[in-house]
Amino acid sequence: MDFDKITVCGALELMEKGECSSEELVSGLLGVIDSKDGEIGAYLSVDHADALEQAREADRKRANGESGRLLGVPIAIKDVLNVKGQACTCASQILKGYISPYDATAIAMMRKEGAVFLGRTNMDEFAMGSSTENSSCQITRNPHNMDCVPGGSSGGSAAAVAGGEALAALGTDTGGSIRQPAAFCGCVGLKPSYGRVSRYGLVAFASSFDQIGPMTRDVRDSAHLLGVISGQDDMDSSSLNLPVPDYVSMLKDDLKGVTLGLPKEYFVDGMDDEVRASVMKAVDVCRGLGAEITEVSLPHTDYAIAVYYIIATAEASTNLARFDGVRYGFRAEGVTDPIDMYGKTRSQGFGDEVKRRIILGTYVLSSGYYDAYYLSAQKVRTLIRRDFEDAFKKCDALLTPTTPTPAFKRGDKSDDPLQMYLCDIFTATANLAGVCGISVPCGKSSDGLPIGLQLLGPEFKEENILRTAYAYEQGRENG
Amino acid sequence: MQYLHTIGLEVHVQLKTETKMFCGCGTVYGAAPNTNVCPVCLGYPGAMPVMNRNAVRDTILTGLMIGSEISTYSKFDRKSYFYPDMPKNYQITQYDKPFCVGGSVEVDLEGQKKLIAITRIHLEEDVAKSMHFHKSSGVDFNRAGVPLMEIVSEPDMQNAEEAFAFLQALRQIVRYVGVSDCNLEEGNMRCDVNCSVRPEGQTELGTKTELKNLNTLKGVYNAIKYELGRQVEVLSSGGTIQQETRCWDVDAGVTESLRSKENAHDYRYFPEPDLMPVVLTAKQIEDWRKELPELPRHRRERLVLEYGLPDYAAGVIVADKHVADYYEEAAALVSNPKAVSNWIMTEMLRLLGEREMDIEDVKITPAALAGIVKLVDSDAINSTKAKEVFAELFDNGGDPEKIVKEKGMGQVSDQSAIEELVDQAISENVKSAEDYKSGKKAALQYIVGQVMRLSKGKANPKMVGAMISEKLG
Ligand SMILES: [Zn+2]
């Protein structure tokens, strides 16, 4: 079996035909992990025995005539999602020892369809970062170049899929954390519209931005997994009660009747030439498939990063307040009273970037600063939302680069938070506006590093970007 | 110099919903520590709140009851501060868009009526309970997340008596709506007090202090008395009042500084992103308005008019909504509704008090009490026997007529049967008969008593008295 290539849908087909069992699939992947993950470092933990037992259980079910949309399919899970009985550390020391007492809703939905939870993938601590260098646990390397970062914060998930260590993974995206590492590692990463997938059980970074999404080897798998995890959830008030379409059946080989918009603010002077060339080549492919291409404008794009870092850190500063050593996780030794316990536990338990964002978020919400920062940022957020509404009156999806550059070298930006924050420049707007986005590979740089094409679609129109991405993927291969 | 006093209250009322404010955990008081808990109310990573719609309804019913304006757009906010009893280290509450704005509560101050204005009512989640042991502390999260309604008054009260009367009136209203037991011992009604004093003639309010840890109505009363006195003393001796939070020390009977304004929390309120704003339609609000019970003071006035009760009796009856409901159900069945109120104010409330019971738990139905009243009115039993019947029904329930028959309690009004007993009594008590004849009127009662004894209490005492005086007269 070629573990670098096999897809979720491909594996399901093989298992249905009886050409392979889930146990064979999982033990094969465990073998790859054993041989490669020492170098790549995608996984924080893999419980071999448990994964194999889940696989055998899936095989028994299939033998009994049971079915499931993910029956026997091994999936890697970002360490930010609660899986009952497993550790969930968010790659932070502060959650050391915490064992999830419950399943996140997305996990429960996948479990119901028979998925095998293979292991937990590395990430930037509490999903704060764009290179996975902020993990407090280990380094994750980009399988395409071991000196480069895999992107972040879902860097472990992207590296696992790209490195042949998983068929697919779940990631989370707050400002680009699925799409950016997918672009860096050459896989497909989808951020659903805000409210499409329940956030219940996702350890919150920024509640009004976070979404769970699939990271896969092709667009079809992305559509398939999105169909499993989408839908309204009583446990998440921000999930919307809208029917979930059969995304896979809506994939088409052509783009006839589809209008794609190129936002001029995303094609600026000074962007990486190879990235620009690859994306423009993708535009030609889409045109060749029948798409109409038009230029659009998202005039408030310049403010996106500032607005994003104000609102996201404000939310994060409260979301992370619960990690205090009282009820679970790490508690500092030798404390004298509750205040001392909070201070020491949080000083020792959180890494630098997390502390930086907690302090930023605390500051922007402070009395006397709230209006100038948080409130103003919310107003601009509304303007950014309107930019997208206006743009989508003229087109079905927007086409942009996912990132300004391909993957960079480890250490290049880790000392300069501002440079790191700018990695999210093309992706964070989608989270601000609540729209959906997908990154698909669109070629490689001269250094052999993947480049990502981003498609952004209106809220709850995942079928638009999936169809476009799928047709492009087919056209790219044939072209 | 004379000083003017200003008092405002913030009253926290736990709603008695079946489940907590943002999760499905139960709210029963007194469960073993940390048994009514789940990832949501423990603030576990990834857990999210879901709004309890019944708690919203209860809050809005309370607002409608006191004449608040109900917001068609409300939202929840996060209020940040670190404390071990706060599972998330922020509390979900309402900052600038509460459910209810304005309204008032009427209080009765020795016959003088006064309206205390209400600023707002908002909804939030309760915190956990810290427990301190010899060498360690623990937290019981059963209470964490129980819906808490905060009612904020305007600074309309001028002394401890008014604050006390306000709390009583408010408690009565909340109990009438049926959304809370307002039981101070169980902590489901709690209160913070803001108070200040200023020299007479000064228009702007003096610097205020906030009093906390007031767990009983008496505590509120005593703390206000003490604090106003303290402030006057400080000002009179040329000092200034510090804006601060003070804690009531029940044992010492004094308030003590807890933290100053400089150390006040910056709560960093901002909209709760995990909950959607609550948008209410006018129709929804009107539907809730139809569920409203009558205000206690309106009911009191109506009982006076409708049943001819004295105002005092009406006040006693309406004090507890369930008692008033019981009264009206029984009163509707008799032609003498005042007799029903007498039964309730004497026997019923006495027995309820002795047994520490609520009227909802008694076995005697309103129809049965009405039955007793009818039996007395038609002279079928006398009042002594009626009390026995009442006591029997109170404990065991049943039909009064049936009990009277079974136990042979029926009043003997048969002329010849009574005459027989009267003759026997006179012949056995010649001395008393002579006394009566010679003008000692009191002797009559003694002979009546003897007849009642002979009849085992069943003879109609009016008939007995009349017959004896006729025979000896
Ligand atoms: Zn709970």
Side-chain angles (χ1 to χ4, degrees):
Chain A
M1 212 174 298
D2 186 350
F3 287 104
D4 282 336
K5 294 232 166 65
I6 186 164
T7 61
V8 169
C9 292
L12 278 166
E13 232 168 83
L14 288 177
M15 286 189 284
E16 262 151 48
K17 285 191 203 147
E19 288 175 19
C20 100
S21 68
S22 175
E23 187 177 0
E24 285 165 338
L25 194 59
V26 169
S27 65
L29 277 172
L30 290 173
V32 178
I33 292 169
D34 287 342
S35 68
K36 290 173 80 174
D37 206 50
E39 191 178 12
I40 295 177
Y43 285 95
L44 290 175
S45 63
V46 178
D47 184 337
H48 286 54
D50 179 58
L52 285 168
E53 182 44 44
Q54 292 180 61
R56 283 190 286 266
E57 177 64 21
D59 287 334
R60 277 193 289 273
K61 283 187 175 160
R62 196 178 291 281
N64 288 337
E66 288 176 50
S67 61
R69 285 186 285 172
L70 292 174
L71 188 54
V73 176
I75 310 274
I77 304 297
K78 186 179 180 181
D79 199 35
V80 74
L81 294 166
N82 280 277
V83 176
K84 192 176 177 175
Q86 293 187 2
C88 176
T89 71
C90 301
S92 179
Q93 296 307 307
I94 209 156
L95 271 170
K96 223 174 180 172
Y98 167 72
I99 301 293
S100 300
Y102 72 106
D103 271 345
T105 299
I107 296 295
M109 290 168 108
M110 290 174 72
R111 198 188 286 284
K112 208 173 133 237
E113 297 294 339
V116 171
F117 300 108
L118 192 57
R120 307 192 62 84
T121 56
N122 197 18
M123 56 189 279
D124 286 299
E125 183 178 2
F126 284 105
M128 295 176 178
S130 306
S131 66
T132 312
E133 288 167 291
N134 293 333
S135 166
S136 79
C137 306
Q138 68 192 38
I139 292 169
T140 298
R141 294 177 175 82
N142 189 321
H144 295 272
N145 181 335
M146 294 294 172
D147 293 330
C148 286
V149 300
S153 65
S154 311
S157 287
V161 173
E165 300 180 77
L167 311 189
L170 284 191
T172 60
D173 192 314
T174 306
S177 281
I178 286 175
R179 291 160 290 159
Q180 188 255 18
F184 278 14
C185 290
C187 41
V188 176
L190 173 81
K191 182 203 90 77
S193 311
Y194 187 74
R196 176 79 287 183
V197 178
S198 168
R199 292 184 291 118
Y200 188 74
L202 153 62
V203 182
F205 157 17
S207 311
S208 72
F209 299 80
D210 297 341
Q211 269 292 294
I212 301 168
M215 304 181 75
T216 56
R217 289 183 174 154
D218 66 13
V219 177
R220 188 188 177 82
D221 276 5
S222 189
H224 184 75
L225 280 171
L226 180 66
V228 173
I229 62 174
S230 289
Q232 195 265 340
D233 175 18
D234 289 342
M235 300 299 277
D236 174 3
S237 311
S238 64
S239 71
L240 255 72
N241 192 7
L242 285 174
V244 180
D246 180 357
Y247 294 113
V248 175
S249 74
M250 296 165 95
L251 303 175
K252 290 199 179 103
D253 289 335
D254 65 61
L255 290 174
K256 286 184 189 114
V258 173
T259 305
L260 299 176
L262 304 186
K264 64 177 186 208
E265 292 80 5
Y266 288 60
F267 295 88
V268 286
D269 288 339
M271 75 184 285
D272 185 279
D273 287 339
E274 289 183 318
V275 170
R276 180 196 296 268
S278 295
V279 171
M280 291 323 285
K281 215 173 126 198
V283 171
D284 288 339
V285 173
C286 291
R287 198 181 277 121
L289 291 163
E292 197 177 305
I293 309 293
T294 181
E295 193 188 89
V296 295
S297 174
L298 299 166
H300 296 95
T301 303
D302 274 356
Y303 306 105
I305 290 294
V307 168
Y308 171 78
Y309 277 94
I310 289 171
I311 303 175
T313 56
E315 293 178 1
S317 71
T318 57
N319 282 329
L320 272 64
R322 68 188 63 194
F323 305 108
D324 58 7
V326 174
R327 285 144 297 134
Y328 45 75
F330 168 75
R331 179 189 295 169
E333 304 274 332
V335 297
T336 52
D337 59 52
I339 299 296
D340 190 38
M341 175 175 70
Y342 297 147
K344 288 189 175 137
T345 299
R346 290 164 67 80
S347 299
Q348 295 166 25
F350 286 135
D352 287 346
E353 182 60 25
V354 174
K355 284 180 202 163
R356 180 180 293 122
R357 295 199 195 189
I358 290 173
I359 291 167
L360 263 175
T362 304
Y363 177 75
V364 300
L365 289 176
S366 295
S367 142
Y369 298 97
Y370 179 89
D371 288 2
Y373 293 106
Y374 182 81
L375 204 62
S376 305
Q378 284 293 11
K379 287 178 186 160
V380 181
R381 185 177 191 179
T382 305
L383 297 176
I384 290 171
R385 225 186 275 268
R386 274 193 211 135
D387 280 358
F388 277 91
E389 283 165 16
D390 291 342
F392 286 129
K393 284 177 191 150
K394 301 187 190 99
C395 60
D396 303 298
L398 299 170
L399 192 154
T400 80
T402 308
T403 56
T405 66
F408 46 87
K409 293 247 162 56
R410 217 169 25 261
D412 264 9
K413 300 188 186 207
S414 46
D415 292 334
D416 187 346
L418 268 182
Q419 276 303 308
M420 193 68 95
Y421 292 177
L422 288 172
C423 294
D424 299 335
I425 193 160
F426 296 148
T427 46
T429 47
N431 303 77
L432 283 162
V435 302
C436 55
I438 191 169
S439 178
V440 263
C442 67
K444 284 186 173 175
S445 70
S446 47
D447 297 338
L449 287 168
I451 293 169
L453 168 73
Q454 177 176 240
L455 295 157
L456 300 174
E459 275 181 287
F460 296 92
K461 284 285 183 189
E462 279 76 5
E463 58 270 29
N464 288 16
I465 54 172
L466 283 166
R467 178 192 166 174
T468 306
Y470 181 78
Y472 165 71
E473 184 181 63
Q474 304 301 307
R476 176 193 71 200
E477 254 129 61
N478 303 333
Chain B
M1 194 186 300
Q2 288 296 307
Y3 287 90
L4 300 173
H5 304 158
T6 305
I7 303 159
L9 299 183
E10 292 168 18
V11 185
H12 290 89
V13 173
Q14 259 186 9
L15 298 174
K16 54 172 183 184
T17 48
E18 287 206 355
T19 55
K20 291 187 181 179
M21 187 61 229
F22 297 115
C23 65
C25 292
T27 55
V28 185
Y29 177 78
N34 296 312
T35 50
N36 286 335
V37 292
C38 73
V40 177
C41 57
L42 285 173
Y44 265 52
M48 294 175 69
V50 176
M51 187 182 75
N52 182 338
R53 297 209 154 260
N54 290 336
V56 176
R57 185 204 56 206
D58 288 355
T59 304
I60 287 170
L61 285 178
T62 308
L64 288 169
M65 226 19 208
I66 61 160
S68 300
E69 197 166 306
I70 308 303
S71 313
T72 48
Y73 176 93
S74 321
K75 65 176 176 66
F76 288 97
D77 299 275
R78 290 183 180 178
K79 175 185 182 179
S80 287
Y81 66 94
F82 276 80
Y83 205 77
D85 66 12
M86 286 273 276
K88 303 181 291 292
N89 289 315
Y90 61 82
Q91 181 188 28
I92 304 179
T93 178
Q94 295 189 289
Y95 181 53
D96 56 348
K97 297 279 178 198
F99 285 118
C100 313
V101 178
S104 62
V105 171
E106 189 186 272
V107 295
D108 197 331
L109 302 154
E110 291 169 359
Q112 288 281 86
K113 296 199 188 308
K114 178 174 177 176
L115 281 182
I116 307 294
I118 298 295
T119 314
R120 56 185 273 164
I121 307 179
H122 69 254
L123 189 55
E124 60 190 28
E125 54 180 342
D126 208 345
V127 297
K129 214 170 169 177
S130 296
M131 303 193 198
H132 303 287
F133 308 112
H134 179 50
K135 274 185 166 172
S136 63
S137 292
V139 190
D140 175 8
F141 289 93
N142 284 350
R143 197 179 72 180
V146 169
L148 204 59
M149 177 168 74
E150 181 171 336
I151 304 164
V152 182
S153 89
E154 289 290 306
D156 278 0
M157 288 154 277
Q158 281 158 2
N159 52 49
E161 286 74 20
E162 288 187 15
F164 190 83
F166 169 74
L167 280 174
Q168 279 188 312
L170 186 65
R171 183 165 70 170
Q172 192 184 33
I173 289 170
V174 173
R175 283 179 175 167
Y176 254 67
V177 190
V179 299
S180 174
D181 295 330
C182 294
N183 191 329
L184 289 140
E185 292 73 48
E186 292 185 6
N188 48 40
M189 186 171 177
R190 283 165 266 158
C191 173
D192 296 338
V193 176
N194 287 303
C195 54
S196 67
V197 301
R198 66 182 195 276
E200 201 159 28
Q202 182 183 317
T203 44
E204 75 192 89
L205 294 180
T207 304
K208 67 174 180 185
T209 59
E210 186 181 7
L211 310 182
K212 289 199 178 281
N213 193 34
L214 308 169
N215 301 322
T216 60
L217 278 179
K218 217 177 128 216
V220 173
Y221 181 85
N222 291 338
I224 293 174
K225 279 241 137 148
Y226 173 84
E227 178 63 13
L228 292 173
R230 185 192 70 87
Q231 292 190 8
V232 167
E233 208 168 288
V234 170
L235 291 182
S236 312
S237 58
T240 50
I241 302 296
Q242 301 302 314
Q243 186 172 337
E244 62 187 352
T245 302
R246 298 180 68 87
C247 183
W248 172 241
D249 184 331
V250 189
D251 300 323
V254 298
T255 63
E256 273 167 354
S257 183
L258 201 62
R259 59 176 173 264
S260 66
K261 192 193 173 192
E262 289 74 45
N263 296 325
H265 294 296
D266 179 357
Y267 291 121
R268 305 193 303 281
Y269 289 99
F270 83 104
E272 166 58 90
D274 283 337
L275 292 166
M276 300 300 104
V278 184
V279 177
L280 295 171
T281 62
K283 180 174 181 310
Q284 175 65 81
I285 295 168
E286 281 320 300
D287 285 350
W288 279 330
R289 197 188 294 280
K290 285 177 200 144
E291 286 181 33
L292 282 187
E294 194 176 18
L295 264 176
R297 62 189 162 95
H298 292 160
R299 194 170 198 176
R300 179 173 178 167
E301 286 161 16
R302 186 171 58 77
L303 292 191
V304 171
L305 285 173
E306 213 167 289
Y307 300 101
L309 298 186
D311 183 60
Y312 170 75
V316 173
I317 298 285
V318 303
D320 180 333
K321 177 173 181 288
H322 299 290
V323 170
D325 290 346
Y326 187 100
Y327 170 74
E328 290 211 64
E329 212 181 319
L333 301 171
V334 299
S335 54
N336 180 10
K338 228 181 126 184
V340 177
S341 73
N342 289 338
W343 276 106
I344 289 180
M345 288 166 67
T346 54
E347 292 302 292
M348 181 71 90
L349 292 181
R350 184 179 61 78
L351 282 172
L352 288 177
E354 275 175 24
R355 314 277 173 88
E356 293 185 343
M357 284 168 71
D358 292 322
I359 200 161
E360 297 109 289
D361 306 323
V362 297
K363 297 259 171 59
I364 179 167
T365 63
L369 177 57
I372 296 178
V373 169
K374 281 191 236 170
L375 288 171
V376 173
D377 283 354
S378 64
D379 281 342
I381 52 173
N382 60 43
S383 59
T384 317
K385 287 287 161 193
K387 280 182 189 165
E388 284 176 34
V389 175
F390 184 92
E392 164 74 20
L393 290 174
F394 186 92
D395 286 328
N396 303 316
D399 175 18
E401 263 184 76
K402 231 170 116 189
I403 288 174
V404 167
K405 261 192 207 134
E406 277 171 15
K407 303 211 164 174
M409 288 169 162
Q411 183 158 263
V412 177
S413 301
D414 179 68
Q415 190 83 26
S416 57
I418 290 180
E419 191 164 6
E420 208 172 293
L421 295 173
V422 167
D423 289 343
Q424 187 187 342
I426 291 176
S427 63
E428 284 173 4
N429 297 283
V430 180
K431 171 112 187 14
S432 299
E434 291 303 324
D435 286 352
Y436 180 73
K437 278 187 203 163
S438 62
K440 282 191 184 166
K441 295 292 172 203
L444 178 70
Q445 275 316 308
Y446 179 76
I447 305 172
V448 171
Q450 293 308 308
V451 176
M452 294 308 288
R453 186 179 58 84
L454 291 169
S455 74
K456 298 195 170 71
K458 288 189 289 187
N460 183 332
K462 269 189 224 151
M463 282 178 73
V464 173
M467 194 177 286
I468 296 170
S469 56
E470 196 189 301
K471 283 195 182 247
L472 299 179

